[in-house]
Amino acid sequence: MESNKRPTAAWKGPMMRRVVLLLVDAPLAVLCVAVAVSMVGQHCYEGYMADLVQSYRRGGSDGLGYFPEFDLDVTYYNRKCDERDISTTDSSDLIVKTDETAEEAADRMLRHGALLFRNVLTNDTANDLRTYLESRHQLHVESESQLPYHEKFFEEESRLALGIGVRDHASVAAALEEIARHPEVTRTLEAILGPDPSIVELSTMTALSGADAQGIHTDSDYYGSSLLYSRTFYHSYSFFVTLQDTTSRMGATTICPGTHVCANPDLEPICLNLPRYDHNNQTHTQTHAHAHAHAHTYAGTGAFEVSTNGQTGRDKGVLFQGDALLFNQNVWHRGPTNQDPANPNTNRVVFILTFASSSSAAAAAGSSSVLSSPSSKTTQRNKVGDRRQLGLGTYYYQRWNMWGHTLHDLKDAATRMVQPWGAFRSLGLSSLWTWSSSSSSLASSLPRRATGHTWIEHFARQAANGVDFYTPYELSDLIQYLDDEIGYPKFLQGTPQFQEESDDHPHVYERFLAESIQKWVSFVKTVYSVALGSYFLLIMTLMLMSSYYNRQGHSGVVEETKVNEKKQPSNDQANWVVSFVRRIGLVHGCIGLIAYGLLLWIEQSDLALHVKSGDAFVKPFPVEDFDSANHDEFGGSSTATLFLAGPTTVPETHDVLFGTRFDAPFLASFNRFLDFHPGNERYNTLISKYAHGVPSALWDPAVRTIVDTILNKEMVQNVSPRFLKQEYASGHWMVLSHEDVMEETWKRMTREQNKRVTDRLVTHLLYLLADSRFGVTRHTILSKRFIPLFCQEWEQRILFPNRNNNHKDGLVSKQNHSIVTSESMDVTWLDGPSSFLPRFKAKKHRAHTACFRKRDFWKGTRHTSGDHRRYVLQTEDRILGKTDEAGHWQEAKIIQILDEDHCLVKFMDGNYESRSKQEIQRYEPFVEGDRVEADLEGQSQWLAGIISLAHPLGSFDIDYDNGDLEEFVESSRIRRLISDIVPISFAIPTSSNESSPIHYSRGDKVIANYMGEGSWFPAVVMSLNDDHTYYVRYVDGSGDKERNVPHNFIHMHIPRSKDLRE
């Protein structure tokens, strides 16, 4: 039967609607999503990332190798170490015992810089992980294939390392979970770094069989780490887990314990090539048949391969499978050779993690602070004044989507460290929700903002300074990856500008990414606009076709249908337009709203708040934040400088140091960093002895005894110790007066006597005081005025309960609290109820670069430096030795007394020279106010002047008598006035043992006087001649040989036994 209905147009049917939806509407919606996401990404990069990169950028280094912008951030000093600073040569001293407390383990880390843990991984897990990693390495080696860009770490001829993911293999997650559940590891890490430390590296390293030794090095540069700047950089620790039994010849990691406190540019002469001072034998008995009888006792080389079998040394020590080494990234270490005849063709595989304090740890540690942020739009890290960043000089390598995790995440690694959650954490977005995984029992106990360091911060820091994977020359690797692996079009990539870059301003990555993002956004906008326009034209074309179709009718339609259509006019055109607008408006409007919500969501993240609030640019000790509030009411100006109560100087190893720039919960174990300074260790030993062994009624003489012992009886290398205190705002170290030393000693005695109550109360007062000085509210009246008074009052009540309140005895005495204006104010302390309030009086002030200036009180008051109690010098005494005919002097140490007029000395740069008495001065630290001669601008023009300021990194400001001022003068360009130099003499050995000749044998490593000219170089004894002279070969790189070298032109350098790092 023939139908009376008019047939529906094919293009209006259900099938056609599906085709239009699939081929037109869906692609257009995808393009809209791409535009929205791209615009959000561009906004985040330009609004946050660019500012974050700028906040991390540092300027060029000065002539001394330091970065001037960190000058105000110093918390320690530029300490130069020698063999005495190596803390142990026994690997057993590093093993964490199951019965020791976490604080005890953290203290050993502070002393040695390294710890060993037993049974971190089970043998099964270690074997599974090693088998998997070996298969990856073998595949790479055999096929000569390149690792993917996001995995590649570095590749040497004999070493291969790569980033690793949790889902790569089941053994990875198993290993991470075992590490996190190891009781000694967890509690020790949290004692060292604070709660829930962050993971900043997750990788592996394989030393192939036959691998050569690395050079000894640190993973973090001393001039850009927590060693010198504890409130600027995180202290970080690498965790090496060995996946097989590793003998010393297989290349168990070489550690030089105690060197994590050293600011030496190179410690290879100390750690690898020099004999070691025997700490266990203070009488200097001989331990090697060929050691000089008059010199130190040496117990072997300074560094050693770590082991957990109770033995140390080549062919003795073994680091068992599953054991782990945790070490401070400032400690000197290296991977030795992998050439063990007993284990041929065996690769050494190590599983590596690196830990640092997390921002969530800072928030947790600082949550009990009395002070809180005045704004709710402040990140957790900034609520407690934590301004730190990861240290410079290392790579912190892990895949980008593995950043942002913490130690507690490892306990449930298979769930918490997988994608996409790993990517959210890496981008800093995980702090916006509370983890609610039912599979993790840890969820309820974690803080809402528990997160580690993000990849965004890592990228910004590395790219800002052009270091480690983001150097200008490594941009070509990224471009090759985009071209070959991804196929990213060239026309969408930024233009690399390698030729325009310099080492000081490596902005290659920034420009490349900014231009690439701009091109991509412009591209997707263009494509979207063209697609939307084409869609509109298509709809209009269909409308016109429909209108034409309706006008022409259809030949097969019966007349009755035409009559009905005339009665009901068509509304198709209007419906099409409404449908078009509705679909576009609804779908694309929803996409826009979602994108806007995403942007608002991102803006509430910790990282975005960190940048948007300006906290990313705030320094730990900015000059402007030490302005005293409302100084104008006291007659002052708005720019502050500081009143320094004592002469400034540069600390020495044997000095006792009182720090004022630590004292923060988020610093964790680093609050005790100065307790392990050698001078402080001797001082604290005396404090403990008298605090617990002397009745309180006898404390006054006990305090005097302690101070007198340190000052007069504890000379080290012929140098008298001093008591120094760091000024909290400027970082300069000041020599304390005798009265101040007595007060500090009394306080330490009181705290030591009752550590459970008194010491904890004072510690919290110090935290509060430091928070008022360096925290987020440091610019307020509360922090500048009332909290210091509160701390002072309660310190008096706790430490001096039976004393009348003496205003100069407090934590905030006039020496370390008074803030004055840039006119270098004097401070008058008043009597009466308002005696805590300083009055300011203007005084002449000279502008100074990058530091506070102090009053001229000490100017010209010191013409000679102390009493020369002993001018008879002997072996191991510190001296100043003349280095050239221009009159420059450098710190050195006497190695050997050659005769009554000459000695062999070793300079700080490692060179050995013979010097006469006229070319030697008794060493004594320079102090502000000393009259000296200095080489003006290094032009060999020596002028008399006065040291007007000593900087903690070892340089000095000199006020010359002719009126010139020179800042940051190196100590090698300063010398004592001739009138102040006391003649010296040498202590000539008299015992039979010391006068007997020492015979050397073939293979002995020595230093020899080349051609008898007074310059000494490393050499090896080739043979003993018939005339009792020696044939030696120099090993300084010259290849020179010398016959007939007299015995007195040779000095023992290294014992004849084989070098442990050959």
Side-chain angles (χ1 to χ4, degrees), residues 521-577:
V521 173
S522 299
F523 173 72
V524 294
K525 283 183 177 180
T526 301
V527 173
Y528 176 69
S529 300
V530 170
L532 190 62
S534 299
Y535 185 55
F536 179 76
L537 290 176
L538 177 63
I539 294 297
M540 295 302 297
T541 301
L542 292 176
M543 289 174 59
L544 291 174
M545 291 175 62
S546 175
S547 177
Y548 176 79
Y549 179 86
N550 287 334
R551 285 197 300 269
Q552 295 297 323
H554 194 276
S555 59
V557 179
V558 298
E559 188 67 25
E560 182 181 355
T561 303
K562 293 183 179 180
V563 173
N564 293 334
E565 287 181 354
K566 290 180 181 179
K567 294 180 181 180
Q568 299 177 355
S570 174
N571 294 322
D572 282 353
Q573 289 89 344
N575 292 336
W576 291 336
V577 172

Side-chain angles (χ1 to χ4, degrees), residues 737-749:
S737 67
H738 190 271
E739 180 184 5
D740 291 331
V741 172
M742 298 286 285
E743 290 292 339
E744 290 288 348
T745 304
W746 185 282
K747 295 176 188 177
R748 298 298 177 101
M749 293 262 295

Side-chain angles (χ1 to χ4, degrees), residues 160-299:
L160 180 67
L162 53 89
I164 196 168
V166 172
R167 286 292 177 90
D168 288 1
H169 193 265
S171 61
V172 178
L176 294 175
E177 291 175 2
E178 287 184 13
I179 291 171
R181 298 181 187 280
H182 191 279
E184 285 82 23
V185 170
T186 301
R187 66 174 183 239
T188 300
L189 281 172
E190 294 198 328
I192 293 172
L193 290 165
D196 202 11
S198 176
I199 302 166
V200 295
E201 181 176 0
L202 177 57
S203 64
T204 68
M205 180 180 292
T206 298
L208 303 178
S209 178
D212 295 328
Q214 294 178 323
I216 195 163
H217 60 279
T218 64
D219 285 341
S220 190
D221 297 330
Y222 66 88
Y223 51 80
S225 70
S226 59
L227 169 59
L228 297 179
Y229 313 101
S230 295
R231 280 183 174 261
T232 305
F233 298 102
Y234 290 98
H235 49 122
S236 51
Y237 301 81
S238 290
F239 191 71
F240 284 14
V241 185
T242 183
L243 301 183
Q244 65 285 308
D245 288 347
T246 307
T247 65
S248 57
R249 289 192 177 273
M250 276 184 65
T253 304
T254 302
I255 284 289
C256 197
T259 55
H260 59 297
V261 298
C262 305
N264 302 57
D266 182 16
L267 274 179
E268 182 173 352
I270 301 297
C271 294
L272 297 184
N273 295 334
L274 283 186
R276 262 277 298 137
Y277 177 74
D278 190 352
H279 290 269
N280 299 320
N281 191 342
Q282 300 299 325
T283 61
H284 300 178
T285 58
Q286 191 165 311
T287 60
H288 188 274
H290 300 285
H292 286 287
H294 62 273
H296 276 312
T297 297
Y298 291 104

Side-chain angles (χ1 to χ4, degrees), residues 1044-1059:
N1044 304 317
V1045 180
H1047 181 274
N1048 60 342
F1049 283 2
I1050 296 179
H1051 176 69
M1052 175 57 69
H1053 181 41
I1054 294 181
R1056 187 166 46 125
S1057 58
K1058 276 193 170 183
D1059 182 5

